[in-house]
Amino acid sequence: MPVTVHEKTGIFHLHNDKVSYVMMVLPNGEMGQLYYGSCIHDREDFSHLLELGHRDMAPVVFDTEGEDGRVRWGSTTFSLEHIRQEYPSYGTGDMRQPAFEILQENGSRLSHLEYCGYRTFEGKEKLPGLPATYTEDNSEAQTLVLELEDKASGARLELHYTIYQDLPVITRHAVWINKSAAGITLVLSRAMSLNLDLPDSDYDMIDLAGASLRERYVDRHALHAGVQSIGSMRGHSSHQFNPFVALARTGTDEVSGEVIGLSLVYSGNFLVQAEVDTMGVTRLMIGIHPQSFAWPLKAGESFCTPEAVLVYSDEGLGGMSRTFHKLFRNRLARGYWRDRERPIVINNWEATYMKFDEAKILEIAAEAKKLGVEMFVLDDGWFGHRDDDSTSLGDWYPDLKKLPGGIAELSEKVEALGMKFGLWIEPEMVSPESDLYRAHPEWVLGSDERHICQGRHQLELDLSKSEVTDHLYETLEKLIAGARISYIKWDMNRSISDAFSRGNDALFQETVLHRQILGVYRLYERLTESFPEILFESCASGGGRFDPGMLYYAPQAWTSDDTDAAERVKIQYGTSLVYPLSSMSNHVSAVPNHQTYRSVSMFTRGAVAAWGSFGYELDATHLTEEEQEEVKAQIGFIQRWRGYLQKGEFYRLLSPFDGNETGWMVVAPDKKSGLVLAYRDRQPVNAGYRRMKLQGLDPDLAYKVREADHKTWEWLNLENGARASERQPLAHYGDELMKIGLLLSDAACGVRTSQVTQEDAQARIFLVEAV
Ligand code: DGJ
């Protein structure tokens, strides 16, 4: 059983064949953390792992010796300041950052959470109003709930732990309940989803940092004394940081070393924090950012934190990522599209921006259809009077000057071409210049007495108000039901400021940012329930809300507004630390690229975009005949390989953050084949030989390696890195490909002698197949 409880010793052991997590009821009744890591034998008693020692100045909890004979409590040794805990408080001896804080009526923030019971059950429960990982069958996981109470205030806490049977994954969340008999209101001013105290600090902290157009770059640095944190206070998970952190043992790489990965299934403000104390103990926590957060709990009310996902790997960062991928692809993403191959789309944003009419749209769609594209997506600019971004958000009715027959007729016409039709919306926003704002100025976030910031000329609707989400649901339901819509791109183009909800009282105001996200989730839930076969893609000005919370509703997300393949390799590489290929939406766009003005070959653009949900972001009527042929070949390739790429195991081979080259590959579950990307940013001159070590293959199987032709995308035989299309290729054992590597360079030092296309931003795709 993955959850073992030793009642006599107060030990709780979550374990499977990969991981162990051990806790105990401490002598003062609080919960202590004893071990988290690679699986160990179970035993009745682990209390010898509790480290106690006298330290001057430390506030001690006991002044008498224990009597149970198991642990000799020195009179001054039991100080919470030096004990590893499950969910620590502040003010009763622990001087480090707390996992929670409860403001009580008398102004006290002191608390003492005592263990009072537990329950276990098979499977995993849903979180109320929040996205979360799930099980399809109760045998996949087991859940332990620890019950604790703060007798003086009446606060009750339930710590929920689910351990998956076949994955090194433990999920956690906390539920607070006000059990006050006196009927007093408690205010939770901090409520983390997870706290994990680790015995040492020999770790590198790895997070994903960036900005719009360069999201999720890998950021790695050694832990140091004190608090180090990342987070978002922008009302969405953000371009700047992602709700993810890994602690990797010093020296850990893609294939070896111990890693603890932590992710928050949440799309709003978050905090990830590692605190290294003077004893070298690391306190790691993740949850809703406490800035501008406070949740009043009346007697009888409860509050559930978002879910934290803890992944353990002793196979380096690659092992951690593959666990996240499996879990998020199969047990976080849901619905009709979860396991289905995603359509190849063409989106008109970079083709026309907001300047289009029906004829232009149909012209692009018809041309794209000839090339093999399967779906047309109409982006921003189709509604109200939206000729630029200063107007019309909220007015979700078609601009009949551009589209005389509306969305209904356009979608019919696109379907008549033999394609599916998709539509862009941005439901959370309103333009001051819109009918909706004129009718309901009180529906936006912000206070009447103050200036309200605009972002991209838009205001944020107050989704803490159910009348607002009801209005949005009814409007969008009518729009979608009234046309032939197969896909929705749900955008969100500004960070939230002025988080004030008109007409609500003071205590309500600090709940607004969390309620805003709950409102987004509620709207997503209702729309995805009403239209289960529509493919939803989330988007936030590119990748500004690429997080696990969104994945629960939309199985794919627009990875970045930067469509330059040379930039995308970095963005996709960083994103792959946590998120599966199936969640990354990537498009081939025109050159020169609209974000970087760089021109890279059509092959490279397709070869980089191929690793995810594929599409085009260009005017298909502007392609030359040669480009049209290349696009047809790309589409044929994607149609053959997209299912394989979606479900295979992903391995990172070379990091764009370490040098000129990027490499990654997908291996089939049976290890009989692999598809490899090798990308080189700058063309070297007369350089040395370069090999790239593959991963994930069967060392004992012999494989032949072929390379995709840059025009036809057909496989060419390879021999020693060079083309050998006339001959049978050599076979290589898996161990050779993994230990010696695939030769990437050829002996050429110039176009005259090289057999490989030579260029900056050069991508190559290889197929490795067991003979
Ligand atoms: C930002 C998105 O990331 C783009 O793809 C596009 O949809 C624009 N918004 C439209 O305003």
Side-chain angles (χ1 to χ4, degrees):
M1 290 299 259
V3 177
T4 306
V5 179
H6 299 288
E7 288 190 3
K8 231 170 72 207
T9 49
I11 296 286
F12 297 87
H13 186 185
L14 313 177
H15 53 116
N16 58 27
D17 62 357
K18 299 179 178 72
V19 70
S20 272
Y21 189 105
V22 186
M23 298 169 275
M24 78 176 277
V25 181
L26 296 171
N28 73 335
E30 295 195 28
M31 288 304 303
Q33 154 59 230
L34 296 182
Y35 174 73
Y36 172 55
S38 181
C39 67
I40 53 172
H41 284 102
D42 185 43
R43 56 187 292 167
E44 175 74 21
D45 192 0
F46 280 103
S47 61
H48 53 279
L49 294 179
L50 185 61
E51 289 142 357
L52 297 170
H54 168 87
R55 303 204 190 273
D56 288 344
M57 299 286 289
V60 291
V61 175
F62 293 107
D63 55 7
T64 54
E65 290 198 344
E67 287 164 11
D68 54 16
R70 287 186 298 119
V71 180
R72 305 305 301 165
W73 309 114
S75 61
T76 58
T77 57
F78 193 86
S79 169
L80 293 175
E81 189 178 349
H82 299 296
I83 289 173
R84 284 185 284 128
Q85 295 159 67
E86 271 307 291
Y87 203 72
S89 57
Y90 178 77
T92 47
D94 192 333
M95 305 299 170
R96 294 164 292 178
Q97 299 275 322
F100 71 98
E101 202 165 44
I102 319 167
L103 176 61
Q104 296 141 58
E105 256 188 352
N106 62 0
S108 168
R109 292 174 190 265
L110 306 178
S111 47
H112 172 55
L113 283 171
E114 268 183 280
Y115 168 81
C116 58
Y118 77 93
R119 55 184 198 273
T120 60
F121 54 89
E122 301 299 310
K124 186 172 189 300
E125 78 261 77
K126 282 188 166 190
L127 273 62
L130 284 164
T133 57
Y134 58 89
T135 52
E136 283 199 333
D137 184 312
N138 277 348
S139 66
E140 289 174 9
Q142 208 180 16
T143 299
L144 164 72
V145 182
L146 293 179
E147 298 157 357
L148 299 110
E149 62 188 1
D150 179 43
K151 289 194 183 108
S153 68
R156 192 181 172 90
L157 170 67
E158 293 189 346
L159 294 175
H160 292 238
Y161 302 80
T162 296
I163 177 162
Y164 278 82
Q165 182 81 52
D166 296 324
L167 289 171
V169 171
I170 292 171
T171 66
R172 288 181 52 179
H173 67 275
V175 179
W176 286 94
I177 308 150
N178 181 350
K179 291 265 186 192
S180 156
I184 58 163
T185 296
L186 302 172
V187 180
L188 266 179
S189 56
R190 181 179 178 100
M192 290 289 132
S193 297
L194 168 147
N195 177 85
L196 179 62
D197 284 359
L198 296 161
D200 64 75
S201 55
D202 301 332
Y203 292 103
D204 287 346
M205 174 168 164
I206 300 172
D207 56 74
L208 299 173
S212 168
L213 304 179
R214 50 182 171 80
E215 296 92 338
R216 292 174 297 284
Y217 279 19
V218 178
D219 176 44
R220 179 171 184 160
H221 49 85
L223 282 186
H224 55 79
V227 172
Q228 41 248 276
S229 71
I230 57 157
S232 168
M233 300 196 298
R234 298 166 187 269
H236 57 112
S237 49
S238 89
H239 298 91
Q240 285 72 12
F241 289 108
N242 199 260
F244 156 78
V245 72
L247 293 188
R249 287 294 183 195
T250 316
T252 293
D253 57 19
E254 282 296 322
V255 290
S256 66
E258 202 181 26
V259 189
I260 294 169
L262 183 56
S263 166
L264 188 69
V265 186
Y266 191 57
S267 313
N269 283 0
F270 71 91
L271 175 69
V272 177
Q273 184 174 289
E275 178 180 11
V276 178
D277 75 8
T278 47
M279 302 300 147
V281 169
T282 302
R283 170 164 290 177
L284 180 66
M285 57 178 77
I286 197 166
I288 294 177
H289 202 299
Q291 172 67 43
S292 299
F293 168 84
W295 200 271
L297 280 179
K298 293 201 186 99
E301 285 183 350
S302 62
F303 178 81
C304 178
T305 71
E307 175 170 278
V309 175
L310 194 56
V311 165
Y312 176 79
S313 163
D314 50 15
E315 292 172 359
L317 290 165
M320 174 201 73
S321 297
R322 284 185 291 283
T323 300
F324 272 124
H325 294 176
K326 253 180 233 153
L327 182 75
F328 286 180
R329 188 176 63 220
N330 302 323
R331 294 293 179 267
L332 176 62
R334 302 175 295 169
Y336 182 84
W337 284 100
R338 187 188 73 179
D339 303 328
R340 284 190 161 73
E341 291 182 7
R342 310 291 163 73
I344 298 170
V345 309
I346 186 159
N347 176 305
N348 70 310
W349 179 242
E350 288 193 13
T352 64
Y353 296 101
M354 296 182 201
K355 292 198 176 16
F356 58 80
D357 58 17
E358 190 188 81
K360 180 66 199 169
I361 293 302
L362 290 173
E363 203 189 333
I364 298 175
E367 204 51 44
K369 169 66 191 167
K370 282 192 221 154
L371 305 175
V373 175
E374 297 159 342
M375 179 183 285
F376 182 87
V377 177
L378 182 62
D379 210 281
D380 195 355
W382 59 266
F383 51 92
H385 310 286
R386 189 145 163 109
D387 295 324
D388 59 44
D389 60 15
S390 66
T391 168
S392 299
L393 291 170
D395 296 347
W396 301 113
Y397 45 80
D399 178 352
L400 298 179
K401 282 205 306 297
K402 288 180 184 169
L403 309 173
I407 293 297
E409 206 174 293
L410 177 64
S411 62
E412 290 288 349
K413 288 181 180 166
V414 169
E415 287 248 348
L417 292 172
M419 298 171 98
K420 296 288 177 198
F421 179 79
L423 191 65
W424 177 98
I425 54 173
E426 190 178 1
E428 297 151 62
M429 301 292 162
V430 65
S431 308
E433 182 50 48
S434 67
D435 294 344
L436 181 66
Y437 184 71
R438 281 184 285 272
H440 289 289
E442 77 286 6
W443 278 6
V444 303
L445 286 176
S447 128
D448 286 328
E449 306 92 65
R450 296 180 187 280
H451 168 77
I452 303 176
C453 299
Q454 292 184 19
R456 206 195 188 196
H457 314 292
Q458 60 201 52
L459 299 165
E460 177 89 18
L461 287 170
D462 180 353
L463 301 191
S464 74
K465 296 190 160 98
S466 55
E467 63 270 32
V468 179
T469 49
D470 286 349
H471 164 82
L472 289 172
Y473 172 75
E474 280 147 27
T475 310
L476 295 171
E477 196 275 338
K478 217 158 98 202
L479 169 75
I480 298 170
R484 297 186 66 177
I485 293 175
S486 305
Y487 164 110
I488 290 285
K489 177 178 173 186
W490 181 317
D491 205 347
M492 199 285 278
N493 283 296
R494 66 159 292 187
S495 297
I496 306 179
S497 58
D498 305 275
F500 183 86
S501 178
R502 287 180 177 81
N504 282 304
D505 64 19
L507 276 180
F508 189 90
Q509 300 308 332
E510 292 216 288
T511 68
V512 168
L513 283 165
H514 181 54
R515 286 184 196 275
Q516 187 72 13
I517 284 297
L518 294 180
V520 173
Y521 291 154
R522 210 162 45 242
L523 191 57
Y524 252 115
E525 187 70 43
R526 289 181 75 186
L527 286 169
T528 49
E529 250 175 34
S530 300
F531 302 102
E533 291 188 14
I534 288 186
L535 173 58
F536 281 76
E537 175 168 311
S538 77
C539 171
S541 204
R545 203 161 61 183
F546 200 120
D547 61 57
M550 283 291 120
L551 261 185
Y552 185 69
Y553 304 97
Q556 61 186 56
W558 182 226
T559 314
S560 175
D561 264 352
D562 194 335
T563 56
D564 176 4
E567 296 297 317
R568 270 295 187 113
V569 285
K570 288 184 255 171
I571 297 168
Q572 291 169 218
Y573 185 97
T575 305
S576 80
L577 246 61
V578 192
Y579 303 98
L581 293 186
S582 57
S583 66
M584 290 185 226
S585 171
N586 309 319
H587 294 174
V588 171
S589 60
V591 288
N593 177 269
H594 290 202
Q595 293 78 43
T596 62
Y597 313 106
R598 191 182 280 129
S599 291
V600 312
S601 71
M602 181 60 97
F603 182 81
T604 291
R605 283 177 274 158
V608 173
W611 306 80
S613 302
F614 186 84
Y616 293 87
E617 187 92 11
L618 44 71
D619 188 339
T621 67
H622 291 171
L623 295 172
T624 63
E625 263 176 44
E626 191 187 353
E627 286 171 333
Q628 287 174 10
E629 290 313 307
E630 287 179 67
V631 166
K632 280 186 203 160
Q634 275 175 0
I635 289 177
F637 180 90
I638 297 296
Q639 286 167 334
R640 278 196 301 282
W641 291 98
R642 61 184 155 186
Y644 182 97
L645 290 170
Q646 192 170 326
K647 293 186 184 142
E649 299 253 359
F650 185 77
Y651 294 83
R652 285 177 297 268
L653 310 174
L654 292 172
S655 167
F657 301 103
D658 291 343
N660 196 30
E661 287 146 336
T662 304
W664 60 56
M665 70 186 288
V666 160
V667 177
D670 64 5
K671 295 182 182 288
K672 290 206 171 126
S673 60
L675 213 51
V676 182
L677 172 85
Y679 171 84
R680 188 177 64 199
D681 205 45
R682 298 284 288 176
Q683 162 73 45
V685 175
N686 198 12
Y689 298 102
R690 288 286 292 161
R691 284 183 182 270
M692 180 164 76
K693 290 178 184 165
L694 305 189
Q695 293 176 39
L697 301 173
D698 182 336
D700 302 322
L701 276 183
Y703 296 88
K704 65 179 182 217
V705 182
R706 291 184 290 165
E707 178 173 6
D709 180 78
H710 284 204
K711 292 289 174 200
T712 64
W713 288 71
E714 296 298 336
W715 296 117
L716 301 172
N717 291 337
L718 273 192
E719 204 169 273
N720 270 343
R723 304 259 158 91
S725 32
E726 305 307 321
R727 281 165 288 170
Q728 271 301 312
L730 268 180
H732 312 263
Y733 280 109
D735 57 1
E736 183 188 316
L737 290 170
M738 294 191 288
K739 292 178 185 175
I740 302 174
L742 187 66
L743 190 64
L744 289 184
S745 50
D746 63 5
C749 53
V751 286
R752 283 176 299 114
T753 49
S754 174
Q755 296 186 59
V756 180
T757 313
Q758 300 298 324
E759 57 188 345
D760 284 347
Q762 177 214 65
R764 300 171 72 183
I765 289 190
F766 300 94
L767 173 64
V768 181
E769 251 180 333
V771 187

